[in-house]
Amino acid sequence: MTKKNDLIVITGPSGVGKGTLVKKLLTLNENIWLSISATTRSPREGEVNGKDYFFLNKEEFNLLVLNEGFLEWAQFAGNFYGTPKDSVQEQLALGKKVLLEIELDGARQVRKTMKKAFQIFIAPPNFDELEKRIRDRGTDSADAINQRLIRAKEELKAQNEFDAIVINDDIDTALLEIKNLMKI
Ligand code: 5GP
């Protein structure tokens, strides 16, 4: 089956630089729309509700799960994250290229339900570099850092499941590769 690149999933371990890459992509092409996820994680300093995430409590999140409001959802490092379904469908119908920046479980769910989505895995140059980036970020507790490192190892093992792997060593090179894959 040919993959369409209207719905693009970007996955990769915490600290790999997905967020930075995605922000740069958005500035390159106004036809790209980034889905804003819901999460039960507390906002980090500077994060804005409705812009970075929809910050929900567990009850609000569960209600959306029960009402089938998510395209996919997953638990990650002690918190829940999910992609609101309606807005993704709306933006696809408007002809936008829709980007989902999500973790592995969610990418696997989307692979089943949205078979034409194109899935890109962002990998670090090596694990030591990733660990350094996660620790240097300085936004997470020691416990959260450990959970993210354990999860990062699992995610890296799954990279061959993806349609493409992009190594984020030099950010401009990685960006160019993603642009080519997205045909933008
Ligand atoms: P963070 O807490 O660092 O913002 O995000 C933790 C992880 O959750 C990242 O790998 C991020 O890509 C992922 N994530 C963010 N939003 C979603 C979502 O809606 N669904 C899923 N499955 N993962 C998400």
Side-chain angles (χ1 to χ4, degrees):
M1 190 204 309
T2 50
K3 294 267 182 178
K4 277 181 72 174
N5 47 14
D6 293 343
L7 181 61
I8 310 277
V9 174
I10 296 200
T11 300
S14 184
V16 80
K18 290 172 298 197
T20 311
L21 284 165
V22 162
K23 281 197 195 92
K24 283 187 180 266
L25 279 170
L26 291 177
T27 63
L28 293 178
N29 187 323
E30 59 187 29
N31 199 39
I32 301 175
W33 182 81
L34 174 67
S35 165
I36 302 170
S37 298
T39 184
T40 60
R41 161 166 88 57
S42 307
R44 293 187 181 127
E45 210 181 307
E47 283 184 333
V48 177
N49 189 29
K51 183 169 168 274
D52 298 289
Y53 280 107
F54 296 107
F55 293 99
L56 305 182
N57 62 36
K58 285 200 174 112
E59 289 70 33
E60 291 165 331
F61 193 95
N62 282 337
L63 201 61
L64 272 168
V65 172
L66 288 174
N67 290 331
E68 298 183 358
F70 289 125
L71 184 64
E72 60 72 38
W73 64 272
Q75 194 170 9
F76 181 94
N79 296 298
F80 293 94
Y81 296 81
T83 303
K85 195 191 301 184
D86 289 352
S87 41
V88 168
Q89 302 290 10
E90 277 163 26
Q91 296 296 322
L92 285 172
L94 286 172
K96 296 274 183 185
K97 278 186 189 280
V98 172
L99 269 186
L100 307 185
E101 192 233 293
I102 61 178
E103 54 67 70
L104 179 63
D105 282 353
R108 286 177 169 156
Q109 292 167 47
V110 174
R111 208 174 289 152
K112 285 191 189 140
T113 53
M114 309 283 282
K115 293 207 183 322
K116 289 201 166 178
F118 190 84
Q119 301 211 329
I120 303 173
F121 189 90
I122 313 290
N126 56 62
F127 195 79
D128 287 351
E129 174 63 26
L130 185 73
E131 178 161 359
K132 185 174 173 302
R133 287 187 204 168
I134 294 177
R135 292 192 188 281
D136 287 357
R137 191 155 63 177
T139 49
D140 298 305
S141 65
D143 188 40
I145 288 174
N146 282 334
Q147 289 192 49
R148 280 164 189 266
L149 287 171
I150 292 167
R151 187 73 172 227
K153 285 196 175 133
E154 287 169 20
E155 297 209 329
L156 288 170
K157 277 193 221 151
Q159 55 186 289
N160 289 324
E161 294 173 14
F162 286 74
D163 297 310
I165 301 169
V166 171
I167 296 172
N168 188 18
D169 189 358
D170 172 64
I171 185 138
D172 292 326
T173 311
L175 196 63
L176 194 65
E177 283 181 39
I178 298 173
K179 272 174 65 184
N180 289 340
L181 290 164
M182 288 179 70
K183 301 192 172 65
I184 55 168

